[in-house]
Amino acid sequence: MNSPQSIPADQTFCVDGDKDGLVAAYRRLIGDHAVADLQAYGDRLAGRKIVHVNSTFAGGGVAEILQREVLLANALGISTEWYRIRGNADFFETTKGFHNALQGKVNVDAAGLIGRYRSFYANGARELNGELIAYLQHLSPRDIVVIHDPQPLHLINFLDTDGPVKLWRIHIDTTCPDRDTMAYVSSEAIRYDGIISTMKEYVTPHLNGLGNVYALAPSIDPFSEKNCDMDAGEVRRRVAAYGIEAGRDLLVQVSRLDPWKDPVGVIQVFEKVRQQGRDCQLALVFNSADDDPEGTAMETVVRERHRQSPYATDIHLVCGDDPWDVNAFQRYAAVVMQKSLREGFGLTVTEALFKEAMVVATEVGGITLQVKDGYSGFTAPACGVNGDARSMDGDDYENHIKGFADKVICALEAGEKRAVLGSRGRQAVIDKFLTTSKLKNLLDIVLACA
Ligand code: UDP
C-alpha cells in the first residue's frame, strides 16, 4: 500500500508540464542564485517527500496554487505529490457549511454540521478513500503530509503520532467565525505538528496559545496559462468572442459564484457607475469548484438579477473555465473588481495586479496584504456582514455599494496614474507573491516542523 500507484487515478494529481522550461523561465526572472537556493532544499529533503491532500484539483484558489507549487517543487527536485479526498454530496454540503461558518455566517447549526462531518469520517470515508488513507498511514516518519482546509482535516485521526510530519494549511479568513464550529476545527487543528494560515491573526485567537502557527500567503506562477504574457490582438479576440464591445470600458470580476464574492453586489456597483453617467460594460467571469455545492443556486440568483437590470445588455456572464480567457479578461479590463465580503487571500487580485490591471477591491482579509489604496490600486471600505452574506440590505450596504462605485469611477478616471499604480502592483507581486518565494516559505516551515 505504500505506493502512489495504489491510489485511484481520479484522486491523484498528475504532475505534467515542462519542468525544465519552468525552471529556466524562473531563472531569468529571479536569477541563478535564487533558483540554486531553492534547489538546495531538494538536497536537504533528500529521501523525503511532501504529500498534499485537499478536496479538488480544479476551481478555487487552493487548486490554483497547488497546481503550480507542486509542478515547481518537482521541477526543482523536491519530491511532492498531491491527492484529493473523495466525498459525497452531503459531505461537500457539510464542509461548505463549515467554510461559511468559519467565514462568519451566523445562526449556524454547528452541532449538526459537526455531527454530519464526523459521521462521514466514521462511516463513508474509508469506503471512498481507503487506498489514500492506507497510503498516508504507511508514509515514513520522515515524510511530510500537508492537509488543506476543513474537508480532509479529520484525517489526522487516521495517522499515527509517530507517523509522518503533519501540517494543516487553512486558506480561510477566520477573523470572526461561528464560535462552536471554530472550537471544533481548532480542537482537530492543534493535533497537527504545525498550522499554516495566510495570516497568523486568522487562527491564533482561537487556539488558546496551543499549536505552532505559521504565516504563508498564497502565490501565483507568472508562467502559467493564466498569467503568462498574451499579445494584445489575442486579448481582444478572446474578449470579443464573448460579446465585449471594443472602445468601451470594461469592468471585470473573476470569481466563483459564492455569496462571499458578492456577485449581485458587483452588478449593483456596475449599475451605480452607469447611473452616474459613466459608460462601461461588465463581465462577471465565473466557474465552479467540485467541492463547492453552492454555485448552482447562486448562479440562478445572479442570472435573475442580471435579467432585471436596466443595463442587462451590457452585462456579460462569462464561463471562466479556460485560463487563457481569464488571462485575457484580466488584461483587457479597465478595472478589475474584487468585491468580496470576506476573502482568505484573493488570488484573483494577485493575478490582476501582476498584469498591471487597475484593481478596485474591498478592504477584507488577504486583499489588505495586496492592494494599497491610491498606491497600487484602490480599495473600498468593507461593510458589516449581516452574517449570512446573502440578504445584504439597509443603509450600510447601500453606502458600501456607493463607496465601491466611487472608487471604480476614480480608477476609470485615473488617467496617467494608471500606469504608475499598475507597475507598483506588479512589482509588489514579484517581490512578495510568486510561487518561488512561497515555496521557499513552505519548505522553511516544513523543515522547522520536521
Ligand atoms: N478562477 C478561474 N475562473 C473563474 C473564477 C476563478 O480560473 O471563472 C480562478 C481565479 O483566477 C483564481 C482562483 O480561481 O486563480 C480563485 O482564487 P481566489 O483566491 O481568488 O478565491 P477562492 O475561489 O479560492 O475563494
PDB file of all heavy atoms in Angstrom, residues 59-62 64 226 254-256 261 285-287 318-321 323 326 330 338 343 345-349 351, ligand 1:
ATOM      1  N   GLY A  59     -10.774  24.522  -9.677  1.00  0.00           N
ATOM      2  CA  GLY A  59     -11.733  25.507  -9.171  1.00  0.00           C
ATOM      3  C   GLY A  59     -11.287  26.033  -7.823  1.00  0.00           C
ATOM      4  O   GLY A  59     -10.965  25.269  -6.912  1.00  0.00           O
ATOM      5  N   GLY A  60     -11.233  27.355  -7.716  1.00  0.00           N
ATOM      6  CA  GLY A  60     -10.858  27.975  -6.452  1.00  0.00           C
ATOM      7  C   GLY A  60      -9.349  28.133  -6.320  1.00  0.00           C
ATOM      8  O   GLY A  60      -8.563  27.536  -7.063  1.00  0.00           O
ATOM      9  N   GLY A  61      -8.985  28.960  -5.351  1.00  0.00           N
ATOM     10  CA  GLY A  61      -7.588  29.354  -5.203  1.00  0.00           C
ATOM     11  C   GLY A  61      -6.653  28.244  -4.758  1.00  0.00           C
ATOM     12  O   GLY A  61      -5.494  28.201  -5.174  1.00  0.00           O
ATOM     13  N   VAL A  62      -7.142  27.324  -3.907  1.00  0.00           N
ATOM     14  CA  VAL A  62      -6.243  26.294  -3.369  1.00  0.00           C
ATOM     15  C   VAL A  62      -5.734  25.401  -4.508  1.00  0.00           C
ATOM     16  O   VAL A  62      -4.526  25.131  -4.626  1.00  0.00           O
ATOM     17  CB  VAL A  62      -6.957  25.445  -2.297  1.00  0.00           C
ATOM     18  CG1 VAL A  62      -6.022  24.390  -1.746  1.00  0.00           C
ATOM     19  CG2 VAL A  62      -7.475  26.331  -1.180  1.00  0.00           C
ATOM     20  N   GLU A  64      -5.617  26.193  -7.604  1.00  0.00           N
ATOM     21  CA  GLU A  64      -4.779  27.040  -8.468  1.00  0.00           C
ATOM     22  C   GLU A  64      -3.339  27.107  -7.929  1.00  0.00           C
ATOM     23  O   GLU A  64      -2.378  26.940  -8.679  1.00  0.00           O
ATOM     24  CB  GLU A  64      -5.408  28.442  -8.490  1.00  0.00           C
ATOM     25  CG  GLU A  64      -4.752  29.423  -9.401  1.00  0.00           C
ATOM     26  CD  GLU A  64      -5.127  29.238 -10.866  1.00  0.00           C
ATOM     27  OE1 GLU A  64      -6.204  28.674 -11.157  1.00  0.00           O
ATOM     28  OE2 GLU A  64      -4.328  29.640 -11.720  1.00  0.00           O
ATOM     29  N   LYS A 226      -2.667  31.108 -17.099  1.00  0.00           N
ATOM     30  CA  LYS A 226      -3.476  32.177 -16.519  1.00  0.00           C
ATOM     31  C   LYS A 226      -2.723  33.503 -16.484  1.00  0.00           C
ATOM     32  O   LYS A 226      -3.328  34.566 -16.535  1.00  0.00           O
ATOM     33  CB  LYS A 226      -3.845  31.728 -15.101  1.00  0.00           C
ATOM     34  CG  LYS A 226      -4.575  32.670 -14.199  1.00  0.00           C
ATOM     35  CD  LYS A 226      -6.069  32.666 -14.362  1.00  0.00           C
ATOM     36  CE  LYS A 226      -6.769  31.353 -14.326  1.00  0.00           C
ATOM     37  NZ  LYS A 226      -6.998  30.841 -12.993  1.00  0.00           N
ATOM     38  N   VAL A 254     -13.611  38.289 -11.595  1.00  0.00           N
ATOM     39  CA  VAL A 254     -13.391  36.856 -11.836  1.00  0.00           C
ATOM     40  C   VAL A 254     -13.563  36.153 -10.502  1.00  0.00           C
ATOM     41  O   VAL A 254     -12.804  36.417  -9.573  1.00  0.00           O
ATOM     42  CB  VAL A 254     -11.949  36.608 -12.356  1.00  0.00           C
ATOM     43  CG1 VAL A 254     -11.705  35.120 -12.550  1.00  0.00           C
ATOM     44  CG2 VAL A 254     -11.667  37.376 -13.634  1.00  0.00           C
ATOM     45  N   SER A 255     -14.570  35.290 -10.378  1.00  0.00           N
ATOM     46  CA  SER A 255     -14.789  34.611  -9.080  1.00  0.00           C
ATOM     47  C   SER A 255     -15.730  33.436  -9.215  1.00  0.00           C
ATOM     48  O   SER A 255     -16.602  33.450 -10.083  1.00  0.00           O
ATOM     49  CB  SER A 255     -15.478  35.550  -8.085  1.00  0.00           C
ATOM     50  OG  SER A 255     -14.584  36.445  -7.532  1.00  0.00           O
ATOM     51  N   ARG A 256     -15.577  32.488  -8.306  1.00  0.00           N
ATOM     52  CA  ARG A 256     -16.653  31.501  -8.153  1.00  0.00           C
ATOM     53  C   ARG A 256     -17.923  32.269  -7.796  1.00  0.00           C
ATOM     54  O   ARG A 256     -17.854  33.348  -7.198  1.00  0.00           O
ATOM     55  CB  ARG A 256     -16.345  30.542  -6.997  1.00  0.00           C
ATOM     56  CG  ARG A 256     -15.297  29.536  -7.260  1.00  0.00           C
ATOM     57  CD  ARG A 256     -15.026  28.672  -6.037  1.00  0.00           C
ATOM     58  NE  ARG A 256     -14.512  29.429  -4.905  1.00  0.00           N
ATOM     59  CZ  ARG A 256     -15.156  29.650  -3.774  1.00  0.00           C
ATOM     60  NH1 ARG A 256     -16.365  29.166  -3.575  1.00  0.00           N
ATOM     61  NH2 ARG A 256     -14.601  30.340  -2.798  1.00  0.00           N
ATOM     62  N   LYS A 261     -18.338  36.378  -2.419  1.00  0.00           N
ATOM     63  CA  LYS A 261     -17.717  37.170  -3.507  1.00  0.00           C
ATOM     64  C   LYS A 261     -18.687  38.251  -3.975  1.00  0.00           C
ATOM     65  O   LYS A 261     -18.371  39.038  -4.844  1.00  0.00           O
ATOM     66  CB  LYS A 261     -17.356  36.266  -4.687  1.00  0.00           C
ATOM     67  CG  LYS A 261     -16.569  35.021  -4.346  1.00  0.00           C
ATOM     68  CD  LYS A 261     -15.128  35.322  -4.055  1.00  0.00           C
ATOM     69  CE  LYS A 261     -14.357  34.032  -3.816  1.00  0.00           C
ATOM     70  NZ  LYS A 261     -13.000  34.281  -3.357  1.00  0.00           N
ATOM     71  N   VAL A 285     -16.954  36.925 -14.693  1.00  0.00           N
ATOM     72  CA  VAL A 285     -16.327  35.697 -15.187  1.00  0.00           C
ATOM     73  C   VAL A 285     -16.360  34.696 -14.037  1.00  0.00           C
ATOM     74  O   VAL A 285     -15.826  34.981 -12.958  1.00  0.00           O
ATOM     75  CB  VAL A 285     -14.868  35.976 -15.615  1.00  0.00           C
ATOM     76  CG1 VAL A 285     -14.214  34.715 -16.156  1.00  0.00           C
ATOM     77  CG2 VAL A 285     -14.820  37.098 -16.650  1.00  0.00           C
ATOM     78  N   PHE A 286     -17.007  33.577 -14.244  1.00  0.00           N
ATOM     79  CA  PHE A 286     -17.152  32.656 -13.104  1.00  0.00           C
ATOM     80  C   PHE A 286     -17.000  31.207 -13.530  1.00  0.00           C
ATOM     81  O   PHE A 286     -17.254  30.830 -14.666  1.00  0.00           O
ATOM     82  CB  PHE A 286     -18.508  32.863 -12.406  1.00  0.00           C
ATOM     83  CG  PHE A 286     -19.695  32.533 -13.266  1.00  0.00           C
ATOM     84  CD1 PHE A 286     -20.248  31.253 -13.236  1.00  0.00           C
ATOM     85  CD2 PHE A 286     -20.256  33.482 -14.089  1.00  0.00           C
ATOM     86  CE1 PHE A 286     -21.348  30.942 -14.019  1.00  0.00           C
ATOM     87  CE2 PHE A 286     -21.352  33.176 -14.881  1.00  0.00           C
ATOM     88  CZ  PHE A 286     -21.901  31.908 -14.850  1.00  0.00           C
ATOM     89  N   ASN A 287     -16.574  30.417 -12.588  1.00  0.00           N
ATOM     90  CA  ASN A 287     -16.586  28.960 -12.757  1.00  0.00           C
ATOM     91  C   ASN A 287     -16.982  28.356 -11.423  1.00  0.00           C
ATOM     92  O   ASN A 287     -17.374  29.071 -10.497  1.00  0.00           O
ATOM     93  CB  ASN A 287     -15.224  28.450 -13.254  1.00  0.00           C
ATOM     94  CG  ASN A 287     -14.133  28.600 -12.209  1.00  0.00           C
ATOM     95  OD1 ASN A 287     -14.353  29.130 -11.128  1.00  0.00           O
ATOM     96  ND2 ASN A 287     -12.939  28.135 -12.541  1.00  0.00           N
ATOM     97  N   VAL A 318     -19.737  35.221 -18.120  1.00  0.00           N
ATOM     98  CA  VAL A 318     -18.739  34.528 -18.942  1.00  0.00           C
ATOM     99  C   VAL A 318     -18.245  33.284 -18.220  1.00  0.00           C
ATOM    100  O   VAL A 318     -17.918  33.349 -17.024  1.00  0.00           O
ATOM    101  CB  VAL A 318     -17.533  35.485 -19.198  1.00  0.00           C
ATOM    102  CG1 VAL A 318     -16.397  34.765 -19.894  1.00  0.00           C
ATOM    103  CG2 VAL A 318     -17.983  36.704 -19.994  1.00  0.00           C
ATOM    104  N   CYS A 319     -18.145  32.173 -18.940  1.00  0.00           N
ATOM    105  CA  CYS A 319     -17.601  30.959 -18.318  1.00  0.00           C
ATOM    106  C   CYS A 319     -16.087  31.109 -18.170  1.00  0.00           C
ATOM    107  O   CYS A 319     -15.385  31.362 -19.148  1.00  0.00           O
ATOM    108  CB  CYS A 319     -17.925  29.743 -19.199  1.00  0.00           C
ATOM    109  SG  CYS A 319     -17.010  28.301 -18.654  1.00  0.00           S
ATOM    110  N   GLY A 320     -15.605  30.943 -16.954  1.00  0.00           N
ATOM    111  CA  GLY A 320     -14.180  31.167 -16.693  1.00  0.00           C
ATOM    112  C   GLY A 320     -13.374  29.886 -16.577  1.00  0.00           C
ATOM    113  O   GLY A 320     -12.373  29.861 -15.855  1.00  0.00           O
ATOM    114  N   ASP A 321     -13.782  28.834 -17.290  1.00  0.00           N
ATOM    115  CA  ASP A 321     -13.041  27.573 -17.172  1.00  0.00           C
ATOM    116  C   ASP A 321     -11.688  27.622 -17.886  1.00  0.00           C
ATOM    117  O   ASP A 321     -10.763  26.923 -17.505  1.00  0.00           O
ATOM    118  CB  ASP A 321     -13.866  26.421 -17.775  1.00  0.00           C
ATOM    119  CG  ASP A 321     -14.917  25.926 -16.796  1.00  0.00           C
ATOM    120  OD1 ASP A 321     -14.786  26.225 -15.593  1.00  0.00           O
ATOM    121  OD2 ASP A 321     -15.867  25.263 -17.239  1.00  0.00           O
ATOM    122  N   PRO A 323      -8.262  29.055 -18.666  1.00  0.00           N
ATOM    123  CA  PRO A 323      -7.346  30.024 -18.048  1.00  0.00           C
ATOM    124  C   PRO A 323      -6.877  31.105 -19.021  1.00  0.00           C
ATOM    125  O   PRO A 323      -6.604  32.236 -18.613  1.00  0.00           O
ATOM    126  CB  PRO A 323      -6.157  29.176 -17.585  1.00  0.00           C
ATOM    127  CG  PRO A 323      -6.286  27.861 -18.281  1.00  0.00           C
ATOM    128  CD  PRO A 323      -7.730  27.674 -18.618  1.00  0.00           C
ATOM    129  N   VAL A 326      -9.465  33.809 -18.875  1.00  0.00           N
ATOM    130  CA  VAL A 326      -9.328  34.595 -17.634  1.00  0.00           C
ATOM    131  C   VAL A 326      -8.168  35.573 -17.792  1.00  0.00           C
ATOM    132  O   VAL A 326      -8.274  36.766 -17.482  1.00  0.00           O
ATOM    133  CB  VAL A 326      -9.104  33.660 -16.419  1.00  0.00           C
ATOM    134  CG1 VAL A 326      -8.829  34.480 -15.163  1.00  0.00           C
ATOM    135  CG2 VAL A 326     -10.315  32.754 -16.209  1.00  0.00           C
ATOM    136  N   GLN A 330      -8.587  39.658 -17.578  1.00  0.00           N
ATOM    137  CA  GLN A 330      -7.860  40.454 -16.584  1.00  0.00           C
ATOM    138  C   GLN A 330      -6.981  41.506 -17.272  1.00  0.00           C
ATOM    139  O   GLN A 330      -6.792  42.603 -16.761  1.00  0.00           O
ATOM    140  CB  GLN A 330      -7.017  39.535 -15.682  1.00  0.00           C
ATOM    141  CG  GLN A 330      -7.879  38.711 -14.719  1.00  0.00           C
ATOM    142  CD  GLN A 330      -7.112  37.623 -13.986  1.00  0.00           C
ATOM    143  OE1 GLN A 330      -6.136  37.071 -14.520  1.00  0.00           O
ATOM    144  NE2 GLN A 330      -7.555  37.273 -12.784  1.00  0.00           N
ATOM    145  N   GLN A 338     -12.769  43.246  -7.111  1.00  0.00           N
ATOM    146  CA  GLN A 338     -12.930  42.071  -6.251  1.00  0.00           C
ATOM    147  C   GLN A 338     -13.731  42.546  -5.057  1.00  0.00           C
ATOM    148  O   GLN A 338     -13.187  43.059  -4.080  1.00  0.00           O
ATOM    149  CB  GLN A 338     -11.585  41.456  -5.852  1.00  0.00           C
ATOM    150  CG  GLN A 338     -11.737  40.083  -5.205  1.00  0.00           C
ATOM    151  CD  GLN A 338     -12.456  39.066  -6.106  1.00  0.00           C
ATOM    152  OE1 GLN A 338     -12.090  38.900  -7.252  1.00  0.00           O
ATOM    153  NE2 GLN A 338     -13.491  38.422  -5.587  1.00  0.00           N
ATOM    154  N   GLU A 343     -12.468  37.432   2.479  1.00  0.00           N
ATOM    155  CA  GLU A 343     -11.550  36.856   1.495  1.00  0.00           C
ATOM    156  C   GLU A 343     -10.329  36.315   2.199  1.00  0.00           C
ATOM    157  O   GLU A 343      -9.623  37.068   2.874  1.00  0.00           O
ATOM    158  CB  GLU A 343     -11.139  37.950   0.499  1.00  0.00           C
ATOM    159  CG  GLU A 343     -10.399  37.464  -0.720  1.00  0.00           C
ATOM    160  CD  GLU A 343     -11.221  36.495  -1.569  1.00  0.00           C
ATOM    161  OE1 GLU A 343     -12.136  36.930  -2.276  1.00  0.00           O
ATOM    162  OE2 GLU A 343     -10.932  35.296  -1.484  1.00  0.00           O
ATOM    163  N   PHE A 345      -7.526  35.153   0.873  1.00  0.00           N
ATOM    164  CA  PHE A 345      -6.395  35.870   0.265  1.00  0.00           C
ATOM    165  C   PHE A 345      -6.857  36.666  -0.953  1.00  0.00           C
ATOM    166  O   PHE A 345      -6.752  37.869  -0.995  1.00  0.00           O
ATOM    167  CB  PHE A 345      -5.295  34.883  -0.133  1.00  0.00           C
ATOM    168  CG  PHE A 345      -4.095  35.575  -0.715  1.00  0.00           C
ATOM    169  CD1 PHE A 345      -3.308  36.407   0.068  1.00  0.00           C
ATOM    170  CD2 PHE A 345      -3.757  35.417  -2.050  1.00  0.00           C
ATOM    171  CE1 PHE A 345      -2.211  37.070  -0.473  1.00  0.00           C
ATOM    172  CE2 PHE A 345      -2.650  36.074  -2.594  1.00  0.00           C
ATOM    173  CZ  PHE A 345      -1.881  36.895  -1.801  1.00  0.00           C
ATOM    174  N   GLY A 346      -7.407  35.972  -1.952  1.00  0.00           N
ATOM    175  CA  GLY A 346      -7.852  36.676  -3.154  1.00  0.00           C
ATOM    176  C   GLY A 346      -6.805  36.602  -4.250  1.00  0.00           C
ATOM    177  O   GLY A 346      -6.205  37.601  -4.626  1.00  0.00           O
ATOM    178  N   LEU A 347      -6.604  35.389  -4.758  1.00  0.00           N
ATOM    179  CA  LEU A 347      -5.618  35.203  -5.832  1.00  0.00           C
ATOM    180  C   LEU A 347      -5.980  36.005  -7.062  1.00  0.00           C
ATOM    181  O   LEU A 347      -5.103  36.407  -7.822  1.00  0.00           O
ATOM    182  CB  LEU A 347      -5.594  33.729  -6.257  1.00  0.00           C
ATOM    183  CG  LEU A 347      -4.615  32.784  -5.610  1.00  0.00           C
ATOM    184  CD1 LEU A 347      -4.580  31.500  -6.412  1.00  0.00           C
ATOM    185  CD2 LEU A 347      -3.227  33.391  -5.513  1.00  0.00           C
ATOM    186  N   THR A 348      -7.284  36.206  -7.288  1.00  0.00           N
ATOM    187  CA  THR A 348      -7.700  36.958  -8.469  1.00  0.00           C
ATOM    188  C   THR A 348      -7.100  38.368  -8.429  1.00  0.00           C
ATOM    189  O   THR A 348      -6.777  38.932  -9.463  1.00  0.00           O
ATOM    190  CB  THR A 348      -9.233  37.064  -8.525  1.00  0.00           C
ATOM    191  OG1 THR A 348      -9.687  37.478  -7.256  1.00  0.00           O
ATOM    192  CG2 THR A 348      -9.865  35.747  -8.894  1.00  0.00           C
ATOM    193  N   VAL A 349      -6.954  38.906  -7.230  1.00  0.00           N
ATOM    194  CA  VAL A 349      -6.345  40.228  -7.087  1.00  0.00           C
ATOM    195  C   VAL A 349      -4.863  40.153  -7.459  1.00  0.00           C
ATOM    196  O   VAL A 349      -4.335  40.994  -8.198  1.00  0.00           O
ATOM    197  CB  VAL A 349      -6.545  40.755  -5.645  1.00  0.00           C
ATOM    198  CG1 VAL A 349      -5.721  42.005  -5.394  1.00  0.00           C
ATOM    199  CG2 VAL A 349      -8.015  41.010  -5.379  1.00  0.00           C
ATOM    200  N   GLU A 351      -3.431  38.038  -9.409  1.00  0.00           N
ATOM    201  CA  GLU A 351      -3.319  37.835 -10.859  1.00  0.00           C
ATOM    202  C   GLU A 351      -3.506  39.155 -11.610  1.00  0.00           C
ATOM    203  O   GLU A 351      -2.773  39.460 -12.549  1.00  0.00           O
ATOM    204  CB  GLU A 351      -4.389  36.828 -11.320  1.00  0.00           C
ATOM    205  CG  GLU A 351      -4.133  35.418 -10.808  1.00  0.00           C
ATOM    206  CD  GLU A 351      -5.379  34.527 -10.788  1.00  0.00           C
ATOM    207  OE1 GLU A 351      -6.462  34.982 -11.211  1.00  0.00           O
ATOM    208  OE2 GLU A 351      -5.270  33.385 -10.337  1.00  0.00           O
TER     209      GLU A 351
HETATM  210  N1  UDP B   1     -10.896  31.336 -11.357  1.00  0.00           N
HETATM  211  C1  UDP B   1     -10.916  30.920 -12.674  1.00  0.00           C
HETATM  212  N2  UDP B   1     -12.065  31.071 -13.391  1.00  0.00           N
HETATM  213  C2  UDP B   1     -13.168  31.636 -12.850  1.00  0.00           C
HETATM  214  C3  UDP B   1     -13.143  32.045 -11.494  1.00  0.00           C
HETATM  215  C4  UDP B   1     -11.990  31.877 -10.761  1.00  0.00           C
HETATM  216  O1  UDP B   1      -9.929  30.409 -13.200  1.00  0.00           O
HETATM  217  O2  UDP B   1     -14.171  31.736 -13.549  1.00  0.00           O
HETATM  218  C5  UDP B   1      -9.638  31.222 -10.612  1.00  0.00           C
HETATM  219  C6  UDP B   1      -9.014  32.569 -10.343  1.00  0.00           C
HETATM  220  O3  UDP B   1      -8.326  33.012 -11.499  1.00  0.00           O
HETATM  221  C7  UDP B   1      -8.124  32.253  -9.150  1.00  0.00           C
HETATM  222  C8  UDP B   1      -8.943  31.216  -8.387  1.00  0.00           C
HETATM  223  O4  UDP B   1      -9.852  30.644  -9.326  1.00  0.00           O
HETATM  224  O5  UDP B   1      -6.917  31.698  -9.583  1.00  0.00           O
HETATM  225  C9  UDP B   1      -9.742  31.815  -7.254  1.00  0.00           C
HETATM  226  O6  UDP B   1      -8.909  32.081  -6.174  1.00  0.00           O
HETATM  227  P1  UDP B   1      -9.277  33.156  -5.065  1.00  0.00           P
HETATM  228  O7  UDP B   1      -8.220  33.095  -4.020  1.00  0.00           O
HETATM  229  O8  UDP B   1      -9.489  34.500  -5.697  1.00  0.00           O
HETATM  230  O9  UDP B   1     -10.699  32.709  -4.498  1.00  0.00           O
HETATM  231  P2  UDP B   1     -11.281  31.327  -3.920  1.00  0.00           P
HETATM  232  O10 UDP B   1     -12.136  30.780  -5.027  1.00  0.00           O
HETATM  233  O11 UDP B   1     -10.144  30.439  -3.552  1.00  0.00           O
HETATM  234  O12 UDP B   1     -12.107  31.742  -2.756  1.00  0.00           O
END
